[in-house]
Amino acid sequence: MEFFKSFGITAAMGTAMAVAILIMVKGSGLISVVPFVAFLVGFVYLFVRYGCLPDEGEGDHH
């Protein structure tokens, strides 16, 4: 089940990135960069929240 959840999230993030880049390339002016920046902020949040960072309880803390 984890594989399908990860695959779905990866496909959704790839689609969102493609749409954000397409808007940035087709648009004119600084406003066209906003969707790309929003995607990057969302990606960083999701990576920090659910990504590869270890939980606080894992690992050895000295």
Side-chain angles (χ1 to χ4, degrees):
M1 188 65 183
E2 285 293 319
F3 170 77
F4 293 112
K5 186 190 298 185
S6 298
F7 182 76
I9 290 171
T10 303
M13 293 297 288
T15 302
M17 184 176 199
V19 169
I21 289 174
L22 186 65
I23 291 171
M24 187 174 63
V25 169
K26 293 288 183 181
S28 61
L30 197 57
I31 196 74
S32 65
V33 179
V34 171
F36 185 72
V37 172
F39 166 78
L40 288 179
V41 168
F43 175 75
V44 169
Y45 171 75
L46 288 174
F47 183 80
V48 169
R49 181 77 170 104
Y50 303 107
C52 299
L53 300 177
D55 292 335
E56 290 182 19
E58 294 181 6
D60 56 348
H61 298 281
H62 297 285

